[in-house]
Amino acid sequence: MTKSALYFSLTLSVWCTLALAQTQQPTPRQNSFAAMPQMSDEQRENFPQSLLDQLAAIKTAALADDYAYRQVAHLTENIGPRPSGSPQARAAVDYVADELRQLGLDVQLEEVQVPHWVRGAESAELVEYAGQVPGASQKIVLTALGNSTATPAEAITADVVVVNNFDELKALGRDKVAGKIVLFNELFDKQKSAAGFAFVAYGEAVRYRGAGPTAAADLGAVAALVRSVGDADFRLPHTGFSVPAGIPAGAVTAEDADLIAHLSAEGRVRMRLTLTPQKLPDATGYNVIADLKGSEHPEQVVVVSGHLDSWDLGTGAIDDAAGVAVAMEAAEIFEKLHLRPRRTLRVIAWIDEETGGAGSKTYANHHAAEFSSHVAAIESDAGAAHPLGFEIKMSPHAAELLRPAADALASVGATVVEVSPFSPGADITAMAEAGVPALGIKQDGRTYFHYHHTAADTLDKIIPAELRENAAAVAVMAYALANMKNPLPR
Ligand SMILES: [Zn+2]
């Protein structure tokens, strides 16, 4: 997931029925719902016992299914990094389309014009600094940000000016910025992250990756660097989207940002910087759109989705092969259990989430007239760690109606339902803003930003049991939305 302040969310209701279930008296009914809070008449009307039994069966099947893991393994290890415009992105589209066809879904490829930016050489060293030993330099570990322009192949050398935020940059003014390399040294709040607010910390820090290079360029900087937006200390640079600024733009590791800041406090720091990415002509990409047609209301659609493109440094396992895989598994589980949803299940593998969102914008352009019959949209784009529940954008009444579906995930622990004023997924933003009830699976994010957009986003970061829990949560919720008696109120 990228660029967003989507995650400042407001908790309206949290249902934690597991503890309750454990403390109540056993009842004679051999039914895991017996210990749940009483449903309202409206909830009971929407979730008859037959549906609750199906949700329980889906959960059980998903917790014993390795389909999603096999998809992630193929996407990451056999296909590899999948940046927009790359041959791997195209191969991933064909692979996912074939897999979904094999499940019996009606598959379409939706053509999307996507940007095509490719990484080049990237290196940097400090060539002048306080206490420098003659003949020595300090290597700086960095990577280019998406949309960075190139330095000359023979590098640029310039003084570095360090700022902690936009106000400090503004205070320096053009006189002290023009001709220099600006480093934005905004700290990622690791304590917030460790305490369960990783996406809040990300939202705060990522502003500098997104808008820092433009702000620096406006004052005549020759290049812009940001402290990597991540919360681990592995000296790994984190790439990501940056608004095109017309200057070279990169992310240095947290350790190197500290080094430069410390040396700058002691005196002049000069850097030699080489970044040679290229912006190629736009390419053709595809959203994969696959329908399992509803038996009663085929025109009513429940979207389950993740994004198929990834950054190029790692193999895009947690971001976001996992999201695509759990969406695919929802269809696989329904087929395996011979459960035909009443409404259409639409699996979407989005293209170009990372480099501008052309896939979701194209879908919105083509399908806006049908959003009134899109009854809900789910996206998984926050990793593959243990699911806590769902972040949702919908009316409080709609959220309350969903409670039996969340309760069906009590044994997984995924019972949190957090109402947010923002779209819970980047690719479902247009739907969420058009009033389509929108859900994002909410994972334990405490390690997500260790690896996010780095070379370490690889298959080993996926814990199979936790991926199965995510698949269960998405499949249960999707089936509930597709089969509850009435569509959720808008
Ligand atoms: Zn993502």
Side-chain angles (χ1 to χ4, degrees):
M1 77 105 32
T2 62
K3 57 196 183 263
S4 64
L6 302 178
Y7 290 92
F8 299 96
S9 57
L10 172 71
T11 303
L12 288 190
S13 51
V14 173
W15 299 304
C16 231
T17 50
L18 192 56
L20 184 62
Q22 285 166 345
T23 54
Q24 285 190 344
Q25 294 295 318
T27 70
R29 287 175 64 199
Q30 293 302 303
N31 177 333
S32 62
F33 295 94
M36 295 293 172
Q38 283 290 306
M39 283 196 271
S40 68
D41 290 346
E42 197 180 4
Q43 287 168 339
R44 197 173 297 109
E45 186 193 4
N46 273 292
F47 288 88
Q49 189 59 45
S50 56
L51 175 54
L52 296 177
D53 291 345
Q54 288 170 338
L55 297 181
I58 289 168
K59 180 192 71 179
T60 301
L63 292 176
D65 193 330
D66 69 350
Y67 180 86
Y69 189 82
R70 286 188 279 116
Q71 305 314 314
V72 177
H74 189 86
L75 288 169
T76 57
E77 297 207 322
N78 300 89
I79 293 176
R82 304 171 299 283
S84 279
S86 68
Q88 295 99 317
R90 177 62 216 242
V93 163
D94 291 339
Y95 172 75
V96 169
D98 282 350
E99 288 293 310
L100 292 169
R101 268 187 213 106
Q102 280 175 35
L103 293 176
L105 275 62
D106 178 10
V107 179
Q108 307 208 1
L109 299 187
E110 182 172 51
E111 194 173 310
V112 181
Q113 288 308 111
V114 296
H116 192 192
W117 176 92
V118 292
R119 191 172 300 284
E122 37 198 32
S123 67
E125 57 185 339
L126 303 184
V127 294
E128 192 178 328
Y129 47 90
Q132 184 181 22
V133 173
S137 64
Q138 281 271 31
K139 179 186 163 107
I140 296 297
V141 179
L142 87 173
T143 194
L145 294 174
N147 288 319
S148 170
T149 64
T151 64
E154 64 275 16
I156 57 171
T157 301
D159 285 5
V160 181
V161 53
V162 180
V163 296
N164 294 301
N165 52 51
F166 290 121
D167 287 341
E168 288 184 18
L169 179 75
K170 209 168 152 191
L172 286 176
R174 175 169 280 273
D175 279 358
K176 292 184 175 140
V177 172
K180 305 215 168 106
I181 298 170
V182 172
L183 169 63
F184 291 92
N185 190 31
E186 159 81 3
L187 299 185
F188 191 107
D189 188 337
K190 291 186 204 174
Q191 284 168 306
K192 261 198 191 106
S193 192
F197 295 92
F199 288 91
V200 175
Y202 178 71
E204 290 167 357
V206 79
R207 289 175 289 169
Y208 293 88
R209 191 191 77 204
T214 318
D218 286 348
L219 294 177
V222 292
L225 302 173
V226 298
R227 183 185 181 103
S228 280
V229 186
D231 58 12
D233 299 323
F234 306 142
R235 210 176 179 190
L236 275 174
H238 298 239
T239 191
F241 180 87
S242 186
V243 175
I247 58 173
V252 301
T253 69
E255 294 85 346
D256 289 285
D258 283 345
L259 170 70
I260 296 166
H262 297 161
L263 293 175
S264 291
E266 295 172 28
R268 185 184 195 197
V269 173
R270 277 178 76 74
M271 176 184 284
R272 180 178 154 85
L273 173 68
T274 306
L275 295 172
T276 61
Q278 282 180 275
K279 172 107 175 95
L280 302 175
D282 284 357
T284 301
Y286 300 90
N287 291 325
V288 182
I289 302 174
D291 285 356
L292 180 59
K293 283 277 185 283
S295 58
E296 288 177 38
H297 301 290
E299 79 293 353
Q300 294 180 9
V301 170
V302 174
V303 170
V304 289
S305 65
H307 68 84
L308 198 47
D309 65 301
S310 76
W311 279 104
D312 57 332
L313 296 174
T315 56
I318 59 172
D319 190 11
D320 182 31
V324 171
V326 297
M328 293 168 76
E329 188 176 307
E332 190 258 352
I333 295 277
F334 299 176
E335 293 288 3
K336 189 151 83 179
L337 298 180
H338 307 293
L339 292 172
R340 191 79 175 175
R342 294 175 60 227
R343 304 186 180 90
T344 293
L345 177 82
R346 175 168 294 172
V347 178
I348 304 182
W350 305 103
I351 199 69
D352 193 44
E353 191 277 340
E354 298 292 5
T355 40
S360 57
K361 286 173 193 160
T362 299
Y363 184 83
N365 288 339
H366 291 169
H367 300 272
E370 301 148 35
F371 283 177
S372 59
S373 55
H374 278 41
V375 302
I378 303 176
E379 181 162 25
S380 171
D381 185 19
H386 170 66
L388 306 167
F390 290 86
E391 181 171 327
I392 63 177
K393 182 176 190 292
M394 62 182 72
S395 71
H397 180 51
E400 181 62 20
L401 276 177
L402 268 187
R403 197 183 70 189
D407 286 347
L409 292 163
S411 74
V412 172
T415 51
V416 173
V417 176
E418 190 174 274
V419 178
S420 164
F422 302 106
S423 173
D427 295 299
I428 57 175
T429 301
M431 284 182 265
E433 287 175 355
V436 177
L439 302 90
I441 188 153
K442 185 176 174 62
Q443 284 108 343
D444 177 346
R446 287 176 297 173
T447 63
Y448 185 62
F449 293 102
H450 292 5
Y451 312 117
H452 180 252
H453 295 185
T454 74
D457 178 1
T458 44
L459 181 64
D460 56 295
K461 306 308 181 303
I462 305 275
I463 297 168
E466 294 188 345
L467 185 68
R468 288 195 291 271
E469 292 177 337
N470 280 291
V474 167
V476 164
M477 188 55 78
Y479 195 79
L481 291 162
N483 282 63
M484 52 194 291
K485 182 162 183 293
N486 303 309
L488 287 176
R490 299 283 172 113

